[in-house]
Amino acid sequence: MKLYRMKSLNGESLRHVLDALVNDRIYLPHRRQMNDPAEGRVGIIQENSEFYIEVSMLGKLESKLDDTRFASFTTSVHNILLWAHYADGFSGIAIEYDFDVNQHHIREVTYSDETNLTTIEEANNVIDGKIPVWDTMLLTTKSAAWKYENEWRIFGDKAHIHIKPSSIIFGYGDSVKNRKSEPHPLQKLCKRLIIPRMYLGGDHNRLYAVPFPDDVSLFKGS
């Protein structure tokens, strides 16, 4: 399954990009590191229960959610808004991965403006470790305002998962504007690591990705 991760080439994001390319691994943050302050906010459906039971259970459930790690991806490299919002205004990159769905906990995000609720039974099963968080809606539901992201998430209980990128798409901002003369250092690194490179073309109506001329053979052999 091909998924893409848009990244800026500045600050902490650049460190994660280099780690992904050099060490073939993806960092999985916690939910409180995400950009949606309502991430994982839930309520419990209960019948004939005292309020203090709900508070106690919510605390344990919140702790379980905080321990769960996940990374966000999208299904298309042609999403203009994602390039603008997550790839530093088209100056960043998109990292393509080809995931084996049998080896990773990959879940599609559902978008809804309804309150994210769980039952007492489900909450207890999550708290007791009988059901992994990623097999519930607790961290796979977001506000409909985020629907344009077409997000999929990869879950885990460790800080990283290991996988080599299948290609890198450079935006048409600063990262590739001089590709015909002085390449961006990251382009040189990808070439040395034999990671196929592409660059973004198009306009506000349509985006497309084009292989670098000296990397065409890498794509033909894939």
Side-chain angles (χ1 to χ4, degrees):
M1 179 179 190
K2 288 189 181 297
L3 294 173
Y4 300 87
R5 196 155 197 218
M6 310 298 190
K7 301 293 289 184
S8 164
L9 297 181
N10 296 310
E12 185 75 1
S13 180
L14 177 58
R15 186 175 71 83
H16 290 308
V17 167
L18 293 174
D19 194 27
L21 302 185
V22 176
N23 298 316
D24 295 338
R25 64 182 192 174
I26 301 169
Y27 175 66
L28 304 184
H30 295 288
R31 64 172 178 138
R32 298 191 187 277
Q33 296 172 270
M34 308 304 284
N35 61 352
D36 183 357
E39 192 72 67
R41 185 176 296 170
V42 298
I44 295 179
I45 301 172
Q46 58 178 347
E47 296 180 1
N48 301 320
S49 300
E50 297 294 336
F51 182 70
Y52 73 85
I53 296 177
E54 179 186 5
V55 172
S56 173
M57 183 174 291
L58 276 175
K60 294 177 182 178
L61 187 59
E62 292 274 353
S63 179
K64 198 73 175 182
L65 296 179
D66 286 341
D67 289 340
T68 304
R69 292 175 171 270
F70 59 94
S72 299
F73 299 81
T74 188
T75 55
S76 175
V77 73
H78 305 123
N79 191 315
I80 293 175
L81 289 178
L82 291 185
W83 277 98
H85 295 167
Y86 295 106
D88 197 18
F90 295 88
S91 293
I93 62 171
I95 308 177
E96 180 191 74
Y97 291 96
D98 196 355
F99 289 102
D100 183 341
V101 296
N102 296 314
Q103 293 185 2
H104 301 282
H105 304 298
I106 303 176
R107 301 291 184 270
E108 185 176 8
V109 169
T110 299
Y111 299 95
S112 173
D113 285 330
E114 299 296 323
T115 301
N116 192 11
L117 296 174
T118 186
T119 63
I120 290 178
E121 180 181 8
E122 182 178 70
N124 274 324
N125 284 332
V126 170
I127 292 169
D128 294 339
K130 297 178 181 178
I131 299 177
V133 172
W134 48 82
D135 282 341
T136 72
M137 300 296 289
L138 297 172
L139 287 176
T140 58
T141 303
K142 296 183 69 173
S143 165
W146 300 97
K147 189 173 183 178
Y148 73 93
E149 294 182 341
N150 296 317
E151 184 177 349
W152 289 67
R153 291 179 170 180
I154 295 183
F155 290 87
D157 53 10
K158 296 182 180 179
H160 298 89
I161 59 172
H162 290 267
I163 182 171
K164 184 180 179 66
S166 52
S167 72
I168 303 295
I169 301 93
F170 289 84
Y172 52 61
D174 292 340
S175 63
V176 292
K177 66 181 181 182
N178 295 319
R179 63 178 176 270
K180 293 183 179 179
S181 54
E182 182 59 32
H184 188 279
L186 200 64
Q187 295 175 32
K188 296 179 179 179
L189 177 63
C190 290
K191 187 174 179 63
R192 181 169 63 82
L193 296 173
I194 317 178
I195 300 174
R197 302 167 301 160
M198 304 182 80
Y199 62 89
L200 196 66
D203 53 33
H204 65 281
N205 292 315
R206 177 174 174 266
L207 297 181
Y208 52 86
V210 182
F212 277 68
D214 50 347
D215 280 7
V216 170
S217 60
L218 296 179
F219 289 96
K220 289 181 178 179
S222 61

